[in-house]
Amino acid sequence: MDPVIVVGAGPVGLALALALARHSVPTVVLDEGPGKDEQRPARSVVLREDTAAFVERLAGHSFGDSESGARWAGWRSVRRKQLMQELDFGGGIPAPLHLPQHVLTGALREAIADERLVKVAVESKLDSLEEDPTGLTAHTRGPKATWWRGSYLVGCDGARSTVRKLLDVRFPGRTAVERHAVASLRTELPWPGRALLHRMPPWPGGGAEVTGRPLADGVWRLDWLLPPRGELVTPDALVVRIRETLAGWCGGSTPPYELLDTGVHTVHHRLARRWRVGRAFLAGDAAHLLGALGTQGLDEGLRDADNLAWKLALAWHHGPCEALLDSYQVERRAGVAARLRAADQSLPVLRGGKGLRSYVPGTARGHDTLLTDGHVGRGTLGAPSSYAESPLAPAPSESVTVVGTEPGAPVADVVVTAPDGSFVQLRDRLGLGRLIVVLVAPGTVVWERRHWVTAGIMPRLAAAVTALPHPAELLVAESYPGAAAHSLLLVRPDGHLVTALSGVRPAELYAAAETALGGAVPTGRGAGAGRPDRAGEEESAAGAARPRA
């Protein structure tokens, strides 16, 4: 079968190609550039905990070390001279990961260099696209203009997406929602490792808001909110801002600093009308633009890649299931639209307008909480999207039990026992093309796996997992937030909870898995695979066989 064509070699395109490779799907990445990325320290990204775990799995190493990125130790919010809020990350509050974008892209490129299922075609700019019943044909221009044949195509080619234009998809929204002057510099501040949001700083020329976010190796990214009417930011004016801000934070005198990079960042809010057109899809900035009030567009783009990869892989290996492929747009577009809506509704209040004062707390502390949510990844502005209303969500039943994770939300990263008896993090088992079934069984941690794997409910559960309509891995957790003993969690390959059941219920487990796959039941699952009846017994392979979707 033809490979998947990924247009664009930014972080989202590279992450999608690597994610598909982990699902054993070959890809061709069409890179308009020369295959190298400009090093811009002032262009950095903030990733939530689970998104950071996703790219670290793909890259094969952690970014939270002293050379590549920084996980913030805490967060401070200040208004004028008053400390409004202070958070310590760790424990129950996950720390965001902050790193230069070129570091992330470079690490993904290094991983792709060792991946035989991914081919990167540099200096290849897409200029035409044709679809037929069995695939797509794309033409690129450049030094080696050629035609490419693919089974599916994903446009990860940025805000000016050629794929989106060739598909004739509208991209409505708002231009220049916010503007920021940006500087990357190396210096020492009084709160090492802690990000800072300072509203209405008291020094002359402080402006409305300045944010300081730590990077690795003593580097900080500083962002000053600019007036909406397009203030000209000259190099001299930016140096004045830097010196005044550092002096204001350091007791009146400017500490030594090394200026590394500067720029002006303009935030747009746009949302593509369609994210799927036949065999073609949009992801990342090609599908959405956001970034006001601390929200992170690249974080959402990487979530697009994680959501789409396992669905395309299932279609590539077992034949297309329209409901499953359509769910990508339903889930991801709804999540980003909710984030954009929350930001657009909050902007009039937080930036001095009147609009929603009856809905948003009018106090400075209430406004500060909203801004903090966007920056640290919680609340309506920052929390990960939940797919509770997804077409892949199973219907409620009496077997469903309540745990600390809502159905459709990302699962907590607990320690689990793997099939080989080792203890691993749950997130380490994601992204491999399998469903995950987690049994909450207190006390198992004190016994070797071989002593309990054949005892109690385990044989019946193992048989039920083997009979599921898609390959699944059975893991055991000593505990899970809010879960009672013998709760059973069904988790999608992208780490979102499908459902939690009270006890081993093979028929309900099978039905939930089937719904989570969009009704697609891949063939070739083996002679013992089939739907269990209400008593938990398996049908014969002949009686349970289903046509390929």
Side-chain angles (χ1 to χ4, degrees):
M1 190 170 177
D2 295 317
V4 173
I5 299 174
V6 176
V7 183
V12 175
L14 297 175
L16 177 61
L18 282 169
L20 286 168
R22 287 172 66 92
H23 294 289
S24 302
V25 175
T27 62
V28 173
V29 180
L30 302 182
D31 186 353
E32 181 179 332
K36 297 180 180 180
D37 302 288
E38 182 183 8
Q39 295 194 9
R40 292 292 309 276
R43 190 178 186 185
S44 61
V45 299
V46 178
L47 304 179
R48 303 182 191 99
E49 183 187 39
D50 54 335
T51 316
F54 169 60
V55 294
E56 287 176 339
R57 288 197 303 272
L58 298 179
H61 68 82
S62 171
F63 290 105
D65 55 58
S66 59
E67 296 181 357
S68 59
R71 282 186 166 82
W72 299 341
W75 171 267
R76 292 166 53 87
S77 294
V78 179
R79 184 175 184 270
R80 297 188 187 275
K81 296 182 179 181
Q82 181 183 3
L83 178 64
M84 305 293 290
Q85 188 175 21
E86 188 163 17
L87 298 175
D88 292 318
F89 294 124
I93 306 178
L97 172 67
H98 187 204
L99 71 163
Q101 183 167 317
H102 68 263
V103 170
L104 172 59
T105 307
L108 295 175
R109 286 189 184 276
E110 289 181 9
I112 279 179
D114 297 327
E115 180 51 69
R116 62 180 181 81
L117 289 177
V118 181
K119 172 182 174 61
V120 179
V122 299
E123 298 181 332
S124 299
K125 181 173 177 57
L126 180 74
D127 61 9
S128 68
L129 179 63
E130 300 176 0
E131 181 177 341
D132 56 64
T134 60
L136 306 99
T137 304
H139 184 266
T140 55
R141 66 173 187 264
K144 297 180 180 180
T146 188
W147 291 92
W148 301 88
R149 182 67 180 172
S151 54
Y152 297 93
L153 181 143
V154 186
C156 305
D157 48 343
R160 295 181 175 87
S161 171
T162 299
V163 173
R164 190 183 63 241
K165 294 171 183 175
L166 291 175
L167 297 176
D168 195 25
V169 174
R170 294 182 59 200
F171 198 39
R174 301 171 59 196
T175 300
V177 176
E178 286 186 348
R179 293 173 64 245
H180 296 262
V182 182
S184 175
L185 51 91
R186 182 177 285 108
T187 190
E188 291 186 12
L189 294 179
W191 44 85
R194 305 177 78 85
L196 170 74
L197 171 67
H198 199 153
R199 302 183 69 205
M200 303 177 68
W203 51 85
E209 181 179 299
V210 58
T211 306
R213 289 175 283 194
L215 286 158
D217 195 26
V219 176
W220 291 78
R221 169 173 164 167
L222 274 56
D223 291 63
W224 294 267
L225 180 66
L226 298 175
R229 292 292 179 259
E231 173 187 334
L232 180 63
V233 183
T234 65
D236 289 343
L238 186 54
V239 169
V240 171
R241 282 181 180 268
I242 292 171
R243 295 182 64 83
E244 289 179 342
T245 299
L246 294 181
W249 285 344
C250 298
S253 60
T254 302
Y257 69 91
E258 177 188 1
L259 184 59
L260 304 175
D261 192 19
T262 62
V264 175
H265 175 52
T266 303
V267 175
H268 310 289
H269 278 183
R270 295 188 178 276
L271 188 66
R273 292 289 191 191
R274 302 175 66 186
W275 291 27
R276 181 194 178 193
V277 179
R279 289 177 172 266
F281 300 81
L282 299 174
D285 285 354
H288 51 77
L289 295 176
L290 70 162
L293 308 180
T295 56
Q296 298 295 323
L298 180 55
D299 188 279
E300 294 292 350
L302 292 170
R303 289 178 185 276
D304 297 343
D306 198 13
N307 184 286
L308 182 57
W310 71 275
K311 298 172 183 178
L312 276 181
L314 199 64
W316 194 89
H317 286 293
H318 304 289
C321 169
E322 296 305 311
L324 184 66
L325 295 177
D326 284 343
S327 72
Y328 165 67
Q329 172 176 305
V330 175
E331 292 179 346
R332 291 301 306 143
R333 191 178 187 277
V336 175
R339 187 102 57 228
L340 282 170
R341 190 161 51 248
D344 286 341
Q345 289 175 347
S346 301
L347 273 165
V349 173
L350 295 174
R351 298 309 185 214
K354 296 181 180 179
L356 297 174
R357 289 195 183 274
S358 60
Y359 299 101
V360 180
T363 66
R365 194 170 298 277
H367 295 178
D368 177 80
T369 297
L370 277 174
L371 284 167
T372 296
D373 286 349
H375 282 281
V376 305
R378 64 184 190 184
T380 57
L381 286 176
S385 299
S386 174
Y387 307 140
E389 304 300 323
S390 168
L392 305 184
S397 75
E398 294 181 356
S399 303
V400 173
T401 187
V402 176
V403 298
T405 301
E406 294 289 334
V411 292
D413 190 24
V414 298
V415 175
V416 294
T417 306
D420 63 359
S422 62
F423 296 104
V424 298
Q425 295 297 133
L426 176 55
R427 286 194 183 129
D428 292 341
R429 313 305 293 181
L430 303 177
L432 298 175
R434 300 185 293 258
L435 295 170
I436 300 292
V437 177
V438 181
L439 172 68
V440 180
T444 51
V445 70
V446 302
W447 299 95
E448 291 186 30
R449 181 183 174 92
R450 61 189 177 91
H451 291 309
W452 50 259
V453 73
T454 58
I457 63 174
M458 289 301 296
R460 184 164 177 255
L461 176 56
V465 171
T466 301
L468 291 179
H470 186 70
E473 182 176 43
L474 175 58
L475 305 171
V476 177
E478 174 76 8
S479 64
Y480 187 89
H486 296 166
S487 295
L488 201 64
L489 280 61
L490 178 63
V491 183
R492 300 182 349 174
D494 59 356
H496 286 254
L497 180 66
V498 177
T499 189
L501 303 175
S502 56
V504 180
R505 302 174 182 270
E508 286 84 349
L509 183 63
Y510 188 101
E514 190 175 36
T515 303
L517 301 171
V521 182
T523 57
R525 289 282 289 115
R531 177 192 292 275
D533 63 19
R534 298 299 299 182
E537 297 176 357
E538 297 179 20
E539 297 175 354
S540 68
R546 295 175 181 273
R548 186 169 68 179

